[in-house]
Amino acid sequence: MTFIVDIFVAIVAVLLIVVVVLQSSKDDINDAFNGSKSELFKNQKARGIELFMQRTTAALAVVFVALVIVSVVIHN
């Protein structure tokens, strides 16, 4: 049983890393150097694939934390 939970923890961890890396950043490298920050398009709601990626990241994070807690309880 502990081996199965540990495998699921590893799988969810890898999926979480992949989903976070695939998300696009809203920050621009030029903003870091010239100090200007355009807020015109920064406050738009996420739609389509961006919304899906945000929700997937949140769900995977919750599942990851729950599996880690279960794994710790089983191992002790």
Side-chain angles (χ1 to χ4, degrees):
M1 180 70 180
T2 61
F3 183 69
I4 295 171
V5 174
D6 291 341
I7 289 175
F8 281 131
V9 168
I11 291 171
V12 171
V14 169
L15 288 174
L16 186 59
I17 291 169
V18 168
V19 169
V20 168
V21 168
L22 286 176
Q23 290 183 10
S24 63
S25 174
K26 291 184 172 103
D27 290 332
D28 189 15
I29 191 68
N30 292 331
D31 292 343
F33 293 113
N34 63 13
S36 68
K37 194 105 168 136
S38 174
E39 297 292 331
L40 181 61
F41 298 107
K42 304 265 181 181
N43 294 329
Q44 290 184 341
K45 288 186 178 181
R47 295 182 182 180
I49 192 70
E50 291 176 358
L51 181 61
F52 174 75
M53 296 295 271
Q54 287 178 355
R55 289 181 179 172
T56 303
T57 302
L60 283 173
V62 168
V63 170
F64 178 75
V65 169
L67 283 174
V68 169
I69 292 171
V70 168
S71 177
V72 167
V73 169
I74 288 175
H75 283 291
N76 288 335

